Amino acid sequence: MKYRLAEGGGEAFYVIGITDEGEPLGLPQDEAEYSLKALEKVAEVIGAKLQILRRRKGKKGIIYEVLVRLSREDSPPVYVNVASLGNVDAGKSTLVGVLCTGQLDDGEGLTMRSIARYLHEIESGRTSSVSTHLLGYDSKGNVVNYDIVNPLDESQVYLSSSKVIIFVDLGGHERYLRTTLRGVMSRIPDYVMLVIGANSGLSVMGREHLGIAIALKIPVFAVMTKIDMVHEDIVERSLEELKKILKMPGISKLPFEVKDYDDVVVAAK
């Protein structure tokens, strides 16, 4: 387990009830519970904690999918760097602000203004610089930002978290492309969050940012915003357009659409 945690940067997935060949047979309830307790004891010895992600039925019994994470008391938090890319006005800063503060936007840029660095960004509503914002989770997977006085206080988020997602908020306008490139290259992100506005789809700069991520071999996940502003048909059309682009030669990615919690667990692996 120590090796797997070190390999995974402080986290590891375990599946109880799978054969060596990967067949999801499952275990009887008592055996599954016994295996889970044994795994928990091993985790305690090395200073880690368990979180059950899913409990589902196999062919012959119960299957547990478990996340093992080093506890905050014995080690610094696990870090994940996520660069926010996408076209201007796609809602990148607003999305990061909502995630980090837990407060919904008012439709007039309130959340964006709360995380903007400069006056001209507040006035124009467009990000032109590179900024970072922390989203912390405790050992049970709960967001810590929402329980502190200032959810954007990085020191408090750090001290209270077992895992920290560092959002790198970047500009989407072509005028700031060089600054955006500098932000991506200097932060060495683990993932790129490609933000796409449902009202405009994947525009020219959005495709440019996607190309940058592909060229740098950074894993990409896409988030579609503003789906409440347009009809469902337009949302579906934008999704199909994105999937088509991802399958094009030179990109050759297999799109996986996340619709529920089970899909989140599968994607996280």
Side-chain angles (χ1 to χ4, degrees):
M1 184 179 286
K2 271 188 176 181
Y3 173 79
R4 290 204 60 195
L5 287 171
E7 190 180 41
E11 292 182 332
F13 283 100
Y14 281 85
V15 183
I16 298 173
I18 300 292
T19 66
D20 293 338
E21 291 75 28
E23 189 176 2
L25 288 181
L27 293 172
Q29 181 66 42
D30 56 341
E31 292 184 18
E33 294 290 342
Y34 180 82
S35 299
L36 192 63
K37 289 179 180 178
L39 188 65
E40 190 171 10
K41 287 181 179 178
V42 173
E44 287 178 0
V45 171
I46 62 173
K49 292 185 179 180
L50 264 64
Q51 180 184 351
I52 299 174
L53 298 178
R54 279 201 302 178
R55 179 183 182 276
R56 56 191 176 93
K57 289 185 178 180
K59 294 180 179 179
K60 296 183 179 180
I62 304 298
I63 295 175
Y64 281 108
E65 295 183 22
V66 182
L67 172 66
V68 181
R69 179 183 295 158
L70 288 173
S71 63
R72 182 66 177 86
E73 293 80 9
D74 301 313
S75 61
V78 177
Y79 283 102
V80 179
N81 287 294
V82 178
S84 176
L85 295 179
N87 189 48
V88 63
D89 297 332
K92 300 182 296 299
S93 299
T94 298
L95 176 60
V96 171
V98 169
L99 290 173
C100 292
T101 64
Q103 300 295 322
L104 294 177
D105 187 53
D106 63 351
E108 298 181 359
L110 176 65
T111 308
M112 186 273 172
R113 291 195 295 271
S114 69
I115 66 171
R117 293 184 62 187
Y118 301 107
L119 179 61
H120 70 268
E121 292 182 340
I122 296 174
E123 292 174 343
S124 66
R126 293 177 176 177
T127 301
S128 62
S129 59
V130 179
S131 62
T132 57
H133 307 280
L134 272 56
L135 178 63
Y137 294 88
D138 61 19
S139 58
K140 295 181 180 179
N142 300 314
V143 178
V144 304
N145 298 53
Y146 308 158
D147 295 327
I148 59 180
V149 177
N150 180 7
L152 298 176
D153 187 336
E154 295 185 359
S155 61
Q156 287 300 315
V157 173
Y158 174 86
L159 292 172
S160 306
S161 301
S162 293
K163 181 174 185 177
V164 175
I165 297 177
I166 304 175
F167 286 108
V168 184
D169 190 27
L170 301 164
H173 197 281
E174 59 182 330
R175 179 180 178 183
Y176 309 120
L177 180 59
R178 188 163 61 178
T179 303
T180 298
L181 276 171
R182 177 172 59 84
V184 174
M185 299 291 286
S186 62
R187 301 292 174 167
I188 315 177
D190 299 295
Y191 300 94
V192 161
M193 178 173 68
L194 184 66
V195 183
I196 303 167
N199 57 335
S200 58
L202 189 59
S203 59
V204 175
M205 281 308 298
R207 299 185 188 203
E208 192 76 25
H209 288 175
L210 175 61
I212 291 169
I214 297 298
L216 295 174
K217 298 182 180 179
I218 305 172
V220 180
F221 66 93
V223 178
M224 187 159 290
T225 59
K226 305 183 181 182
I227 60 173
D228 57 332
M229 293 176 59
V230 296
H231 194 270
E232 289 183 6
D233 292 343
I234 299 178
V235 175
E236 289 298 325
R237 193 185 311 154
S238 298
L239 281 172
E240 290 303 318
E241 178 192 13
L242 174 62
K243 292 177 182 178
K244 187 176 180 180
I245 292 172
L246 291 173
K247 293 177 182 178
M248 290 175 61
I251 300 179
S252 303
K253 299 295 181 182
L254 181 63
F256 178 75
E257 190 173 348
V258 176
K259 297 180 179 179
D260 52 31
Y261 180 78
D262 287 345
D263 290 340
V264 173
V265 175
V266 172
K269 295 178 182 179

